[in-house]
């Protein structure tokens, strides 16, 4: 296409686009000086010579410098650390390009190209035969082929090989300084002399007719292409069809020396020095090429930037502008508050607004008066006197207090009256401090003279109430009555002549009452905070930061009920629902957001000027007077950061060793100290990001870290843990909970289940040993006490035998001798014989009892039972003298062992009783006694062939007989199992079983 025709088409296309350009681009722009401007240099850890930048899809801001590749989270700079075994091709980086898929392409000063993907490097041009020289920039096609503009020419990478673009493509240049792929898929290339456009149908580059040095192709927000040169800029012809906005990825993908931001502002560096900005209205009205230096505002003074040499610029996803310079990195972002610029000497200011929106400002230090026009510019006025203060009147007028008179201005009309005449000794300066209109007059406070009142055109005498001579503040409520803030915790209310005084008795403890607000509630403020009147008493408002509500000097209330409080910390914004919550319960701290100097607030609330320093103005604007000037904001147009913070866990250290927090991470046994680093990739106000975190397995609740970006843990035991963190940006947007991969702390041997099991076994063994030791001790004590009892029983038995039984036996013999002298057939002889028989029976029973008291014969239990059987046989078959005869068999199974004395005695007694019962009551002729000495238990069995025993008798015994009961009791005392069972074919078996440890005496 001929050059002239090409330009004509381009011009017509530009004019068509101008007609459709969105109206929002025509809105007044914020002056560049009102942007919040931050600078990082080497003193802040920033690298020098930031030549290129890019923001990858994960949110990291990458910096290419002469010292290598770095990344930045808004707080900390961090040099890139390649994976083990990998390295960059060089430290001097000239080009970075980020792709939506997360890739980062890296170009170098001395040639080569690398791609960083998921933390791993891949080199596409390196080593001998590297076809790429120093890289200017690159473009990646949808098919992953790459175009690279470099000192060695325009290079194309496709199908695994490089091709230098030359004559075959009708690209005549040996170098390429720019390559650009627009949103329509058109590929532009420039060599520093001419600009070319690729005709994809024939694979040829066509000249566009544009030529410039230091070429750069950019798109404005509407998608219009521009050729930016060293000294000029010109629109390029758009693609056929409907205009298409540029990709939102464009400005963060790569950095250049110029850019169009999302609002249409054109930023450019080195114009000829510093940073410059062109408003949309400026470049939209140009029909062709025009000078790049046709800028609207700029930063070109040494004190405004770290360096006036701009190397690179980038707009991040939140809309912040980043500038790379030889000295470091800079950021410009919009403030929430706009400021109105006054002369530096203006000093302390007061502000008031008429009902029609005319805004007046007075300086108490210079005596000057200004109006603020619709554009926010201040226009100096000539009031014909020194002016100290302005205030709003009740009728929508503005009161102006000067050294000579008070003026009331409204809708261009002025009314004035002179100050009251001086009295003897009064300060002639007439420094007006206070102005307030109530329902019937005007209060005027004059420094050094006191409080005056203008009513019905006359000055009336000063108030007679004590303390009202010099009030600190006056507020007038909706009923037209006046409230006076006074010194020493005092407040007075003048309700049309009826005066009420409030003080400490009503709960005021703020010090001097320097501010009163009556818009909705009655609020007072002082050095020590702010209080509200509730139920006749003042209750102090609570806030998380104790000093937040100190020295409040103004409150603006919007139609939605939000409060905007001007305090010593800045502007405190409390939403209506949060305010009402605290009003309902004064113990509930106010929830708020604070705007301070980081948001554009000028200084702190001015408490010297005794008029309100906050005002809800016409058109929804809010105005605030600070010690450094006046700020305003339109709440409906506040710049809010709606981007979701990207939370990243960046690393973990244990005992000084760095670990990657990835799946399968296992820390060494005995890890004592753990440090986990995390961050949030949000760049507008990273210092305001609030974090909270939790380590599952340790923390039951969330830990509030506020701005801290490191979590510390000590004395962690073995186990599996997972770290979770959440970030909330300055405008309350949450990242959601981000959970890192779980990690494990390996146990020491002493922390394993094996060790715990061994400890349990050892503890059990020790407990058993202690039990055995205690058992031996108790057994020994028991045996000693038993021995003492047995010895005592032996003594008693001997005493009974040697005394009572012998005496009884002698007495029986004596009565027998007497009986022998009586006739054998006499009634007395028969009675005596019967009595003597009973006495013999008593003697036998006595001998049985004495035998029971004596210790069972020691030695073999089997032999003792045989001896007992012999005694029974010698007595006529039974121990009690029965007539039956029997055969006794005592058998031993197992190796006979010594029983404990108690068991020996009780088993002997049970066996003897069973033998006696068989003889006395069962009429048995055969007794079989078996003693079984087993390893686990000892068993006694006594069997007979007698007449047997019915069930009730086996269970309960015979009435009046206690033999069976005694056997059971003896068995129970030694912990034995006892049973009586009938045998098949007749007879009874008495069995006793006792466990071996209880039965056998220790060897």
């Amino acid at each position: 296409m001929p050059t002239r025709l090409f330009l004509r088409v381009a011009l017509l296309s530009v004019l068509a686009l101008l007609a459709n350009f969105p109206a929002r681009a025509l809105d007044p722009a914020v002056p560049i000086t009102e942007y919040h401007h931050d600078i990082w240099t080497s003193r802040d850890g920033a690298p020098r010579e930031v030549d290129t930048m890019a923001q990858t899809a994960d949110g990291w801001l990458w910096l290419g410098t002469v010292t290598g590749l770095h990344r930045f989270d808004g707080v900390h700079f961090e040099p890139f650390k390649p994976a083990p075994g990998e390295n960059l091709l060089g430290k001097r980086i000239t080009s970075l390009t980020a792709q939506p898929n997360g890739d980062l392409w890296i170009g170098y000063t001395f040639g080569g190209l690398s791609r960083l993907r998921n933390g791993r490097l891949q080199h596409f041009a390196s080593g001998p035969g590297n076809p790429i020289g120093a890289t200017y920039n690159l473009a990646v096609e949808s098919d992953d082929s790459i175009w690279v503009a470099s000192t060695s020419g325009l290079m194309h990478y496709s199908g695994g090989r490089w091709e230098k673009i030359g004559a075959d493509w009708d690209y005549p240049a040996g170098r390429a300084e720019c390559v650009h792929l627009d949103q329509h898929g058109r590929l532009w290339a420039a060599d520093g002399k001419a600009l070319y456009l690729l005709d994809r149908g024939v694979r040829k580059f066509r000249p566009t007719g544009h030529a410039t040095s230091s070429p750069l192709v950019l798109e404005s927000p509407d998608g219009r292409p521009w050729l930016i040169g060293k000294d000029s800029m010109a629109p390029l012809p758009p693609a056929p069809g409907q205009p298409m906005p540029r990709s939102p990825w464009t400005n963060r993908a790569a950095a250049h020396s110029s850019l169009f931001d999302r609002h249409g502002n054109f930023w450019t560096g080195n114009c000829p020095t510093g940073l410059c900005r062109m408003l949309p209205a400026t470049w939209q009205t140009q029909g062709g090429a025009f000078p790049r230096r046709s800028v609207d505002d700029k930063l070109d003074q040494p004190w405004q930037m770290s360096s006036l040499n701009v190397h690179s610029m980038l707009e991040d996803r939140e809309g912040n502008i980043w500038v790379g310079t030889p000295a470091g990195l800079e950021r410009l972002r919009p403030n929430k508050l706009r400021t109105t610029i006054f002369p530096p000497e203006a000093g302390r200011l007061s502000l008031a607004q008429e009902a029609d929106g005319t805004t007046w400002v007075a300086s108490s230090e210079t005596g000057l008066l200004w109006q603020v026009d619709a554009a926010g510019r201040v226009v100096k006025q000539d009031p014909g006197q020194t002016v100290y203060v302005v205030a709003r009147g009740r009728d929508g007028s503005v009161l102006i207090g000067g050294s000579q008179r008070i003026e009331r201005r409204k809708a261009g009309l002025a009314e004035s009256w002179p100050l009251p005449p001086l009295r003897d000794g009064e300060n002639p300066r007439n420094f007006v401090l206070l102005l307030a209109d109530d329902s019937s007059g005007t209060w005027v406070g004059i420094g050094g003279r006191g409080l005056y009142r203008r009513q019905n055109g006359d000055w009336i005498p000063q108030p007679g109430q004590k303390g009202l001579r010099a009030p600190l503040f006056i507020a007038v409520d909706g009923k037209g009555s006046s409230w006076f803030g006074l010194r020493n915790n005092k407040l007075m209310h003048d309700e049309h002549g009826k005066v009420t005084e409030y003080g400490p008795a009503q709960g005021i403890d703020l010090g001097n009452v320097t501010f009163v607000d009556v818009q909705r509630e009655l609020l007072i403020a002082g050095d020590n905070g702010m209080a509200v009147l509730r139920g006749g008493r003042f209750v102090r408002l609570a806030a998380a930061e104790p000093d937040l509500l100190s020295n409040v000097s103004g409150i603006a209330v919007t139609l939605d009920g939000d409060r905007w409080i001007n305090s010593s910390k800045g502007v405190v914004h409390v939403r209506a629902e949060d305010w009402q919550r605290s009003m309902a319960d004064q113990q509930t701290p106010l929830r708020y957001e604070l705007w301070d100097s980081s948001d554009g607030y000028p200084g702190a609330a001015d408490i010297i000027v005794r008029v309100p320093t906050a005002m809800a103005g016409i058109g929804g604007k809010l105005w605030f007077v600070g010690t450094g000037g006046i700020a305003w904001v339109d709440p409906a147009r506040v710049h809010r950061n709606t981007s979701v913070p990207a939370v990243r866990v960046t690393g973990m250290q244990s005992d000084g060793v760095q670990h990657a927090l990835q799946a399968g991470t296992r820390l060494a046994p005995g890890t004592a100290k753990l440090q986990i680093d995390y961050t949030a990739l949000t760049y507008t106000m990273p210092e305001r990001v609030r974090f909270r975190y939790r380590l599952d397995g340790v923390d039951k609740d969330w830990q509030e870290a506020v701005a801290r970006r490191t979590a510390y843990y000590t004395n962690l035991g073995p186990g599996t843990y997972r770290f979770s963190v959440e970030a909330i940006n300055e405008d309350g947007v949450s990242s959601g909970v981000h959970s890192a991969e779980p990690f494990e702390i390996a146990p020491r041997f002493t922390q394993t289940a094996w060790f715990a099991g061994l400890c349990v076994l050892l503890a059990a063994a020790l407990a058993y040993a202690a039990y055995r030791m205690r058992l031996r001790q108790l057994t020994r004590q028991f045996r000693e006490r038993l021995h003492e009892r047995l010895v005592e029983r032996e003594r008693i038995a001997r005493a009974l035998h040697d005394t009572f039984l012998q005496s009884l036996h002698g007495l029986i013999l004596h009565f027998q001798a007497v009986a022998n002298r009586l006739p054998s057939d006499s009634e007395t002889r028969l009675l005596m014989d019967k009595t003597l028989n009973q006495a013999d029976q008593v003697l036998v029973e006595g001998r049985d009892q004495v035998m029971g008291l004596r210790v069972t014969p020691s030695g073999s239990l089997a032999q003792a039972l045989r001896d007992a059987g012999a005694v029974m046989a010698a007595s006529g078959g039974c121990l009690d003298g029965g007539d039956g005869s029997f055969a006794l068999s005592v058998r031993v199974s197992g190796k006979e062992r010594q029983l404990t004395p108690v068991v020996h005695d009780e088993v002997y007694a049970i066996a003897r009783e069973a033998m006696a019962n068989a003889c006395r009551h069962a009429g048995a002729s055969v007794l079989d006694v078996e003693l079984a000495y087993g390893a686990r238990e000892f068993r006694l069995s006594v069997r007979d062939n007698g007449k047997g025993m019915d069930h009730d008798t086996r269970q309960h015994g015979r009435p009046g007989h206690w033999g069976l009961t005694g056997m059971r009791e003896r068995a129970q005392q030694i912990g034995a199992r006892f049973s009586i069972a009938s045998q098949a074919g007749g007879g009874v078996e008495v069995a006793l079983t006792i466990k071996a440890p209880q039965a056998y005496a220790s060897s």
Side-chain angles (χ1 to χ4, degrees):
M1 179 186 296
T3 300
R4 184 174 301 173
L5 180 58
F6 187 97
L7 291 175
R8 184 178 302 169
V9 171
L11 179 58
L12 291 174
S13 302
V14 169
L15 292 175
L17 280 173
L18 281 172
N20 295 319
F21 196 80
R24 64 180 176 86
L26 299 175
D27 292 341
V30 177
I32 194 171
T33 53
E34 287 195 36
Y35 278 79
H36 189 89
H37 189 181
D38 293 291
I39 298 175
W40 292 269
T41 65
S42 57
R43 290 175 298 182
D44 308 298
R48 301 179 66 86
E49 301 285 350
V50 180
D51 291 331
T52 184
M53 293 179 280
Q55 187 177 30
T56 44
D58 58 8
W60 281 105
L61 183 64
W62 294 87
L63 312 177
T65 74
V66 296
T67 59
L69 181 63
H70 302 258
R71 67 181 187 180
F72 185 46
D73 65 357
V75 177
H76 301 113
F77 294 90
E78 179 183 326
F80 170 66
K81 297 177 181 178
E86 298 179 355
N87 286 292
L88 295 169
L89 296 179
K91 286 191 173 182
R92 298 192 175 190
I93 296 172
T94 57
S95 173
L96 293 175
T97 303
Q99 293 297 114
N101 66 353
D103 289 353
L104 179 66
W105 292 88
I106 307 166
Y108 304 88
T109 300
F110 298 111
L113 184 67
S114 305
R115 181 180 64 190
L116 180 63
R117 173 179 287 180
N118 298 325
R120 305 304 298 267
L121 283 170
Q122 181 180 1
H123 302 306
F124 285 78
S126 62
N130 171 21
I132 298 178
T135 302
Y136 290 103
N137 70 327
L138 60 85
V140 182
E141 297 267 21
S142 58
D143 61 358
D144 289 335
S145 61
I146 307 166
W147 297 90
V148 179
S150 73
T151 55
S152 59
L154 181 61
M155 308 299 298
H156 184 221
Y157 180 83
S158 179
R161 68 181 189 88
W162 286 100
E163 177 185 4
K164 183 174 182 179
I165 304 302
D168 293 345
W169 294 71
D170 282 354
Y171 184 79
R175 60 184 282 126
E177 296 184 9
C178 173
V179 62
H180 179 77
L181 184 67
D182 67 21
Q183 72 271 31
H184 299 280
R186 297 185 299 172
L187 187 74
W188 306 81
D191 61 0
K193 296 179 181 179
L195 176 68
Y196 301 87
L197 181 63
L198 177 62
D199 185 342
R200 294 185 181 272
V202 295
R203 290 168 58 95
K204 302 292 182 180
F205 280 92
R206 306 300 189 193
T208 65
H210 291 78
T212 185
S213 58
S214 302
L216 175 65
V217 177
L218 297 176
E219 288 130 8
S220 51
D222 58 349
R224 186 191 323 177
W226 290 80
L227 176 62
I228 313 298
K230 181 178 180 181
D231 299 313
S232 64
M233 55 188 293
L236 296 174
Q242 292 295 322
M244 181 185 298
R246 70 183 181 189
S247 166
W249 186 261
T250 300
N251 274 6
R252 57 187 286 201
H256 305 289
S257 59
S258 301
L259 64 84
F260 288 95
D261 69 21
R262 63 188 62 185
H263 301 295
N265 296 303
F266 176 71
W267 299 81
T268 187
N270 309 321
C271 47
T273 60
L275 177 66
C276 302
R277 188 184 63 163
M278 186 185 301
L279 299 180
T282 301
W283 58 262
Q284 288 173 8
T285 57
Q286 304 296 326
F290 60 96
R292 186 168 63 93
R293 298 179 184 177
S294 302
V295 297
D296 295 289
D297 49 7
K298 56 187 176 180
L299 302 175
D300 61 352
Q301 299 301 311
W303 52 269
Q304 292 180 309
M305 297 184 69
S306 62
S307 171
L308 296 179
N309 183 7
V310 174
H311 282 190
S312 56
M313 280 191 293
L314 176 140
E315 182 185 25
D316 67 23
R317 65 179 180 181
E318 298 164 36
N320 305 301
I321 303 298
W322 296 86
V323 181
T325 73
L329 183 66
E330 306 188 18
R331 177 191 62 196
L332 290 96
R333 61 170 175 81
N335 282 316
K336 287 185 169 62
L337 291 166
R338 297 281 303 276
T339 55
T340 301
I341 307 301
F342 289 88
E345 66 275 10
R348 300 189 181 281
L349 303 172
S350 57
L351 172 76
Q353 193 175 76
E354 296 181 33
D356 62 1
T358 304
T359 304
W360 298 83
V361 178
S363 167
S364 61
E365 297 185 11
T366 65
L368 298 178
L369 180 68
W370 296 272
Q371 269 193 10
V372 181
D373 65 15
R377 296 184 297 265
V378 296
V379 181
K380 186 178 178 181
Q381 304 295 303
D382 183 12
Q385 65 172 340
T386 301
V387 174
Y388 299 118
V389 66
V390 293
R392 187 167 185 176
R394 282 180 59 83
D395 59 353
S397 62
V398 165
L399 298 172
I400 300 174
S403 59
Q404 301 173 27
R405 60 187 177 275
I406 305 298
E407 294 186 13
R408 184 186 300 275
R409 298 200 181 190
K410 181 179 180 181
L413 302 177
E415 174 191 0
S416 66
W417 57 87
L419 295 179
L422 284 171
R423 296 182 180 181
D424 292 340
E426 288 187 334
N427 187 350
R429 185 184 176 191
N430 281 334
F431 187 82
V432 178
L433 296 172
L434 283 169
L435 286 173
D437 265 353
D438 65 13
S439 59
S440 59
T442 302
W443 295 99
V444 179
I446 305 175
R449 297 185 61 184
L451 183 64
Y452 292 81
R453 179 172 177 78
R454 180 80 172 180
Q455 186 170 333
N456 298 324
D458 297 316
W459 292 104
I460 64 175
Q462 296 182 9
Q465 288 80 13
K466 184 179 179 181
L468 282 186
R469 177 173 173 79
L472 301 178
F473 196 89
I474 303 176
V476 179
D477 61 24
K479 297 179 181 179
S481 60
S482 301
W483 296 82
F484 300 88
L486 307 174
R487 292 174 174 80
N488 301 321
N489 290 314
K490 289 186 178 180
L491 175 73
M492 282 190 180
H493 179 208
D494 183 349
E495 188 175 8
H496 313 299
K498 179 184 176 183
V499 177
T500 305
E501 183 173 336
Y502 298 84
Q506 288 74 38
I508 301 179
D509 62 347
L510 305 177
N512 298 327
V513 179
T514 56
F515 174 72
V516 182
D517 184 78
V518 290
Q519 296 179 77
R520 300 289 179 92
E521 304 88 359
L522 175 56
L523 295 166
I524 60 174
D527 294 342
N528 300 325
M530 188 162 66
V532 60
L533 183 64
R534 280 288 181 267
R537 290 187 59 82
F538 284 91
V539 181
R540 188 182 298 191
L541 297 181
E545 188 175 352
D547 295 335
L548 181 75
L549 300 178
S550 65
N551 292 325
V552 168
S553 61
I555 299 177
V557 183
T558 52
L559 294 177
D560 58 5
D562 284 10
R563 268 66 172 181
W564 299 77
I565 303 170
N566 201 11
S567 81
S568 61
K569 298 289 185 179
V571 174
V572 179
H573 175 209
V574 183
R575 299 187 186 278
E577 56 270 23
D578 296 325
W579 180 267
Q580 294 304 327
R581 187 182 298 112
S582 293
M583 289 298 102
D585 179 10
Q586 277 75 36
Q587 300 302 317
T588 301
L590 283 175
R591 293 179 57 185
Y592 62 90
E593 63 174 334
L594 174 65
W595 293 356
D596 56 18
S597 59
S598 296
D599 302 281
Y601 187 86
D606 196 328
I607 60 172
I608 302 299
V609 176
R610 299 181 185 181
V611 291
T613 61
M615 178 182 70
I618 303 301
K621 284 185 179 180
L622 304 178
W623 298 80
F624 305 95
V625 179
T627 55
I630 291 178
W632 62 270
V633 63
D634 184 347
R637 300 173 64 89
V638 172
H639 175 82
R640 297 287 185 181
N641 182 7
T642 59
S643 296
V644 176
V647 174
R648 297 289 179 267
V649 178
T650 57
M652 178 171 64
Q653 292 185 32
S654 63
D655 299 326
V657 179
Q658 189 73 34
H659 303 274
L661 196 53
Q662 56 191 16
T665 298
R666 184 179 174 90
L667 305 185
T671 296
K673 296 180 180 180
L674 186 66
Q675 172 182 324
I676 300 176
D677 299 317
Y678 53 86
T679 191
L681 303 179
T682 178
Y683 294 93
T684 300
M685 300 186 77
E687 67 279 5
R688 291 254 185 100
V689 176
R690 293 177 288 116
F691 294 92
R692 64 176 189 159
Y693 62 80
R694 180 176 62 197
L695 184 62
D696 293 341
V698 176
D699 298 321
K700 294 182 179 179
D701 300 314
W702 286 95
Q703 306 299 308
E704 299 295 335
V706 192
R708 179 164 49 88
R709 301 186 178 217
T710 302
Y712 300 95
Y713 291 93
T714 57
N715 301 320
L716 294 177
T720 300
Y721 301 90
R722 182 189 289 269
F723 184 76
S724 300
V725 61
E726 179 183 10
I728 302 173
N729 75 4
E730 69 277 12
D731 287 314
V733 178
S734 171
S735 65
V737 177
H738 172 80
S739 297
E741 293 288 346
F743 64 93
E744 181 181 356
I745 297 180
R748 290 193 177 105
F749 174 71
T750 55
Q751 296 172 318
T752 61
W754 287 103
F755 181 78
L758 291 175
C759 289
V760 171
L761 292 176
L762 178 60
L766 292 174
Y768 180 73
Y771 164 76
R772 293 291 298 173
M773 184 180 299
R774 181 61 177 165
L775 183 62
R776 291 192 191 99
Q777 181 184 17
L778 294 175
T779 302
R780 183 173 63 253
Q781 293 174 354
F782 177 75
R783 286 175 178 174
E784 291 174 354
R785 289 195 296 270
L786 181 62
H787 178 70
E788 293 173 357
R789 291 173 59 189
L790 293 177
V791 170
E792 181 64 15
R793 287 172 61 181
E794 290 277 3
R795 185 191 67 76
I796 294 172
R798 284 195 301 271
L800 289 174
H801 182 273
D802 295 342
T803 58
F804 174 76
L805 292 180
Q806 291 296 336
S807 298
L808 180 62
H809 188 264
L811 186 61
I812 291 173
L813 291 177
H814 180 74
F815 275 99
Q816 184 67 50
V818 173
N820 289 338
R821 292 178 182 182
L822 295 175
S824 58
D825 56 350
S826 69
E827 184 177 347
T828 302
R829 175 66 183 268
L830 292 175
L831 182 59
M832 286 288 286
D833 287 341
K834 184 176 179 180
T835 302
L836 289 173
N837 287 336
Q838 291 177 350
D840 288 339
Q841 182 65 31
V842 170
L843 182 62
V844 171
E845 291 177 356
R847 287 174 177 171
D848 286 344
Q849 294 299 321
V850 170
M851 183 175 292
L853 285 174
R854 286 186 171 276
V855 180
T856 305
S858 61
S860 170
L861 177 61
Q863 187 58 46
L865 292 176
R866 292 188 187 101
D867 293 344
V871 171
M872 292 173 63
S875 300
C878 293
L879 290 176
D880 60 356
D883 298 330
S885 61
F886 62 91
L888 175 66
S889 170
V890 179
R891 295 181 292 111
V892 177
S893 63
K895 182 180 179 180
E896 190 172 6
R897 298 175 63 178
Q898 182 68 38
L899 301 178
T900 64
V902 175
V903 173
H904 186 279
D905 288 352
E906 300 298 347
V907 170
Y908 175 79
I910 291 170
R912 185 171 172 275
E913 180 68 22
M915 293 164 59
N917 285 340
C919 177
R920 292 173 186 162
H921 307 297
S925 60
V926 176
L927 287 177
D928 179 23
V929 179
E930 181 182 5
L931 302 175
Y933 293 88
R936 295 186 177 181
E937 62 183 17
F938 167 79
R939 179 179 173 83
L940 164 69
S941 177
V942 180
R943 305 182 187 92
D944 66 61
N945 63 347
K947 61 182 180 180
M949 190 181 303
D950 59 42
H951 179 268
D952 289 342
T953 302
R954 290 198 306 271
Q955 293 297 320
H956 308 292
R958 289 186 178 89
H961 293 264
W962 308 102
L964 296 181
T965 302
M967 286 192 288
R968 285 193 174 92
E969 291 175 350
R970 289 177 183 274
Q972 185 177 5
Q973 289 178 358
I974 61 175
R977 298 193 305 274
F978 179 80
S979 65
I980 302 175
S982 295
Q983 298 186 97
V988 172
E989 178 184 11
V990 176
L992 178 144
T993 304
I994 183 171
K995 292 182 179 179
Q998 298 171 247
Y1000 303 137
S1002 58
S1003 56

